[in-house]
Amino acid sequence: MTPSSTSTPSGTALPARQEHLLDVLRQADDEISGQDLHARLRAGEGAMGLATVYRHLRQLQQRGLVRCRHLPSGEALFAPTERDEHHLTCVDCGHTLRLPHCPVHGLELPTTHLEGFRPLFHTLEFFGLCANCQRRQAQTAPRL
Amino acid sequence: MTPSSTSTPSGTALPARQEHLLDVLRQADDEISGQDLHARLRAGEGAMGLATVYRHLRQLQQRGLVRCRHLPSGEALFAPTERDEHHLTCVDCGHTLRLPHCPVHGLELPTTHLEGFRPLFHTLEFFGLCANCQRRQAQTAPRL
DNA sequence: CTTCCTGCAAAGAGTTTGCATCAAA
DNA sequence: TTTGATGCAAACTCTTTGCAGGAAG
């Protein structure tokens, strides 16, 4: 139960605290925000400052181990790269629906035109109006 | 040259200023930020306050006419929905590469499990390390 | 008169950075 | 001694909201 060393695509071993941070992400049911992650770490053993959390998250992202997407609110959500989740988010109220499976499974980039870029992860997110907000909008502007 | 009325999916006509704002978005070469859009409007005829720009952008989003995605920096970028662009962004320096075509062309959501959601647009973005940042990283951690 | 739209300025949120400190090599 | 990691708090950015003025119906 103690994944003591995660091998990274670049081959170097992970510092202990980053390893721990990654574990918390893996144990989470869904993506979590930086703030949330910080709170969870604080609750457990490996408490660390908020700044450090973000610093590690960035490094994990650069190693391709952590994926990040941004809510319309500007909040960033993090998840392990290996987890391939996608969401449908309401552009009005922000309510989020997790999609049952990845619509684009083995998604590949063409290797040309990449200018030396090394792709690490992708985000695919859907946006729309939830049932509630559609109703609310219909009341204001009757002409559907 | 004067698209005087854009018909929306919901059937209602667009207020003049939103129409104009949408035009500026369409004329832009690529996605632009709220701030940038504000500046361009200010430079031309239809100058309006920053708050108003954001207010209109939100409404256009809710009508499915404008698409929005967030940079790692938290900045929001806007584009007309009909334009189907995707990018490869460096997680380190933020350098962005526009992909020559949409990797997932006619992307469709399963109509089940949507709980009344009405999808309006999607974002598909790739993240990785650009050539420069790979080089820089390699210098710090030699073991590739 | 009522309603909607607008601008300005202030507030708000999340994230990043500066700096002094502390541990490790 | 030198290097790298950390916490705290201040700073920063973009975005949203409150409120009063003004136009439209």
Side-chain angles (χ1 to χ4, degrees):
Chain A
M1 267 311 215
T2 331
S4 49
S5 72
T6 299
S7 63
T8 78
S10 45
T12 40
L14 226 46
R17 298 186 85 175
Q18 285 186 27
E19 189 76 50
H20 179 235
L21 200 152
L22 190 50
D23 283 345
V24 175
L25 274 183
R26 284 176 174 147
Q27 285 158 23
D29 294 335
D30 202 347
E31 316 164 307
I32 57 181
S33 68
Q35 309 275 348
D36 192 353
L37 181 54
H38 174 241
R40 294 191 193 202
L41 287 166
R42 173 150 296 188
E45 289 293 307
M48 62 186 89
L50 189 55
T52 307
V53 170
Y54 282 110
R55 280 189 274 242
H56 285 321
L57 280 172
R58 166 182 279 205
Q59 293 188 9
L60 287 169
Q61 245 188 107
Q62 293 178 4
R63 286 169 182 258
L65 294 171
V66 161
R67 175 169 53 79
C68 146
R69 71 169 182 120
H70 286 259
L71 290 180
S73 71
E75 203 175 11
L77 296 182
F78 301 87
T81 309
E82 70 257 19
R83 215 192 290 157
D84 208 15
E85 288 163 12
H86 305 278
H87 302 76
L88 178 49
T89 302
C90 179
V91 292
D92 195 354
C93 70
H95 174 59
T96 278
L97 182 65
R98 196 154 139 203
L99 295 178
H101 67 93
C102 175
V104 201
H105 184 54
L107 193 59
E108 292 288 331
L109 274 180
T111 47
T112 45
H113 304 295
L114 291 190
E115 295 182 14
F117 251 104
R118 176 159 54 121
L120 292 173
F121 60 92
H122 69 267
T123 65
L124 170 62
E125 298 297 323
F126 297 85
F127 297 89
L129 282 169
C130 72
N132 272 338
C133 292
Q134 281 177 63
R135 224 170 290 137
R136 184 142 39 86
Q137 241 185 45
Q139 288 170 3
T140 312
R143 209 153 284 151
L144 267 185
Chain B
M1 267 308 219
T2 331
S4 49
S5 73
T6 299
S7 63
T8 77
S10 44
T12 40
L14 226 47
R17 300 185 85 175
Q18 286 186 27
E19 190 76 50
H20 179 235
L21 199 152
L22 189 51
D23 283 344
V24 175
L25 275 182
R26 284 177 174 145
Q27 285 159 23
D29 293 337
D30 202 347
E31 315 163 308
I32 57 181
S33 67
Q35 309 275 346
D36 192 352
L37 181 54
H38 174 240
R40 295 191 192 202
L41 286 166
R42 174 150 295 187
E45 288 293 306
M48 62 185 90
L50 188 56
T52 306
V53 170
Y54 281 111
R55 280 190 275 241
H56 285 322
L57 280 172
R58 167 182 278 205
Q59 293 187 9
L60 286 169
Q61 246 188 106
Q62 293 179 5
R63 285 169 183 258
L65 295 171
V66 161
R67 177 168 52 78
C68 146
R69 71 169 182 121
H70 286 260
L71 291 179
S73 71
E75 204 174 12
L77 297 182
F78 301 87
T81 310
E82 70 258 19
R83 214 192 290 156
D84 209 16
E85 288 163 12
H86 304 277
H87 302 77
L88 178 48
T89 303
C90 179
V91 291
D92 197 352
C93 69
H95 174 59
T96 279
L97 182 64
R98 195 153 139 204
L99 296 178
H101 67 93
C102 175
V104 200
H105 184 55
L107 193 59
E108 292 288 331
L109 275 180
T111 47
T112 44
H113 304 297
L114 291 190
E115 295 181 14
F117 250 104
R118 176 158 56 122
L120 293 172
F121 60 91
H122 70 266
T123 66
L124 171 62
E125 297 298 323
F126 298 85
F127 297 90
L129 282 169
C130 71
N132 272 337
C133 292
Q134 282 177 60
R135 225 171 289 138
R136 184 143 39 83
Q137 242 187 43
Q139 288 170 5
T140 314
R143 210 152 282 152
L144 268 188

